Amino acid sequence: MGAALLSDPDKIEKILSTLVKGTRRPVTCKIRILPSLEDTLSLVKRIKRTGIAAVTVHGRKREERPQHPVSCEAIKAIAETLSIPVIANGGSHDHIQKYLDIEDFRQATAASSVMVARAAMWNPSIFLKEGLRPLEEVMQKYIRYAVQYENHYTNTKYCLCQMLREQLESPQGRLLHAAQSSQEIWRAYSPQITPKMCLLEWCRKEKLAQPVYDTVQRPLDRLFCSVVTVAEQKYQSTLWDKSKKLAEQAAAIVCLRSRGLPEGRLGEESPSWHKRKREATDQDPGGPRAQEQAVPGELCKKLFVALGSGEESPREGW
């Protein structure tokens, strides 16, 4: 519940009762503690009577901030009073520094489970049993996910700032603070800026719909070809690639080069590329694609086609 509702238990009870009656799904709520333990226990009893499935308790009062100590005793008293699950929250600042601390906090509060917020923002690897990963590694991996799922740069920037915390005044921190686009974030923290990243960022700047990739796999040799649609125009490399990822990067290169835009750079986990001849198809043993080699997407920009919105892709009919 919003902290402002803590002073209006009648409204809390009405809201929760309405929700419980209106859905078959479990309903839970999250509260802070009141100035007195007696009032807090009275409130959670009323909340429990609404039929909710669980309650999360942030062990601080409404006006308290993270630097104030969390009251494990108050959460424990609530857990011992209620018969429904109680989820403990608020331990990131003082109690949770690594994975094993989560269970220690749960035991200290006698809760059924723990809700982790700030500690997870500071370093998402808090959930690894083997221990925290280095922050730089975590940030680079987060950026890759942000790119993969097309997260808006403002949200990416906010999350990275939460991870840096006291390092915001470092050279990289200042670069991050000044970043006004995903590309500027990538330059500061990611070892590679790929063609797909460049194309996505350009589309956002131009207020265009995000690129749409249509990728197919050829059954005979299991190689891939992709067509990317940008501003109702289609772009495709003439070569086929050994992976879906490279095929999409090749299509992005075609689009970027056709529009005279920076292409970024491609990199692979393995620097070696194994070129191989492709066997001819049964239908067209002497066709022009029969002798194409599987080459990295970086080389695909040497041979490309840019298609109009109504043109047929050269891959049709293979």
Side-chain angles (χ1 to χ4, degrees), residues 181-247:
S181 69
S182 294
Q183 279 187 316
E184 292 180 13
I185 295 174
W186 296 327
R187 288 192 182 100
Y189 288 95
S190 184
Q192 297 174 352
I193 302 174
T194 67
K196 285 184 68 176
M197 293 178 185
C198 291
L199 183 56
L200 176 61
E201 183 66 15
W202 179 80
C203 287
R204 284 177 173 165
K205 285 184 178 179
E206 297 297 317
K207 298 183 178 179
L208 298 172
Q210 66 186 37
V212 176
Y213 294 87
D214 177 21
T215 306
V216 297
Q217 185 178 36
R218 192 161 55 186
L220 178 66
D221 50 18
R222 304 184 67 80
L223 295 172
F224 294 85
C225 187
S226 183
V227 175
V228 62
T229 302
V230 175
E232 299 184 352
Q233 294 290 316
K234 297 181 179 181
Y235 304 85
Q236 171 192 347
S237 169
T238 60
L239 300 181
W240 292 68
D241 276 293
K242 67 177 184 179
S243 73
K244 179 176 181 289
K245 179 177 73 173
L246 284 176

Side-chain angles (χ1 to χ4, degrees), residues 32-75:
R32 285 187 173 230
I33 59 176
L34 296 172
S36 76
L37 180 59
E38 182 181 358
D39 289 341
T40 302
L41 294 179
S42 176
L43 174 63
V44 296
K45 288 176 183 177
R46 292 186 65 175
I47 288 175
K48 190 259 183 184
R49 286 198 296 268
T50 65
I52 65 167
V55 59
T56 299
V57 180
H58 183 156
R60 291 185 178 87
K61 301 180 181 69
R62 174 179 172 178
E63 68 279 2
E64 291 180 330
R65 303 269 64 86
Q67 63 268 25
H68 294 100
V70 62
S71 177
C72 294
E73 295 77 13
I75 301 175

Side-chain angles (χ1 to χ4, degrees), residues 66-259:
Q67 63 268 25
H68 294 100
V70 62
S71 177
C72 294
E73 295 77 13
I75 301 175
K76 184 176 182 180
I78 295 170
E80 292 173 345
T81 298
L82 299 183
S83 58
I84 60 175
V86 172
I87 304 166
N89 176 241
S92 293
H93 196 275
D94 299 321
H95 295 268
I96 301 175
Q97 308 299 323
K98 57 185 183 299
Y99 176 80
L100 293 177
D101 295 338
I102 299 175
E103 174 60 17
D104 291 341
F105 183 58
R106 189 196 68 78
Q107 292 186 14
T109 58
S112 302
S113 57
V114 173
M115 177 183 289
V116 181
R118 292 179 186 272
M121 287 197 300
W122 295 334
N123 192 326
S125 67
I126 188 75
F127 299 109
L128 291 178
K129 293 182 180 180
E130 51 272 27
L132 292 172
R133 302 301 303 161
L135 187 60
E136 183 176 355
E137 175 187 324
V138 172
M139 293 177 71
Q140 289 188 0
K141 190 170 185 179
Y142 171 77
I143 291 172
R144 288 197 293 271
Y145 279 123
V147 171
Q148 179 180 350
Y149 294 103
E150 298 168 349
N151 194 39
H152 196 276
Y153 89 90
T154 54
N155 182 259
T156 301
K157 178 178 174 178
Y158 173 81
C159 292
L160 291 172
C161 285
Q162 292 297 312
M163 295 181 200
L164 279 179
R165 301 173 70 192
E166 65 275 3
Q167 298 180 42
L168 274 173
E169 293 304 316
S170 67
Q172 277 194 320
R174 288 194 291 269
L175 283 175
L176 174 63
H177 193 266
Q180 295 299 313
S181 69
S182 294
Q183 279 187 316
E184 292 180 13
I185 295 174
W186 296 327
R187 288 192 182 100
Y189 288 95
S190 184
Q192 297 174 352
I193 302 174
T194 67
K196 285 184 68 176
M197 293 178 185
C198 291
L199 183 56
L200 176 61
E201 183 66 15
W202 179 80
C203 287
R204 284 177 173 165
K205 285 184 178 179
E206 297 297 317
K207 298 183 178 179
L208 298 172
Q210 66 186 37
V212 176
Y213 294 87
D214 177 21
T215 306
V216 297
Q217 185 178 36
R218 192 161 55 186
L220 178 66
D221 50 18
R222 304 184 67 80
L223 295 172
F224 294 85
C225 187
S226 183
V227 175
V228 62
T229 302
V230 175
E232 299 184 352
Q233 294 290 316
K234 297 181 179 181
Y235 304 85
Q236 171 192 347
S237 169
T238 60
L239 300 181
W240 292 68
D241 276 293
K242 67 177 184 179
S243 73
K244 179 176 181 289
K245 179 177 73 173
L246 284 176
E248 291 179 352
Q249 296 288 6
I253 289 174
V254 171
C255 179
L256 292 166
R257 174 163 286 199
S258 298
R259 292 178 174 271

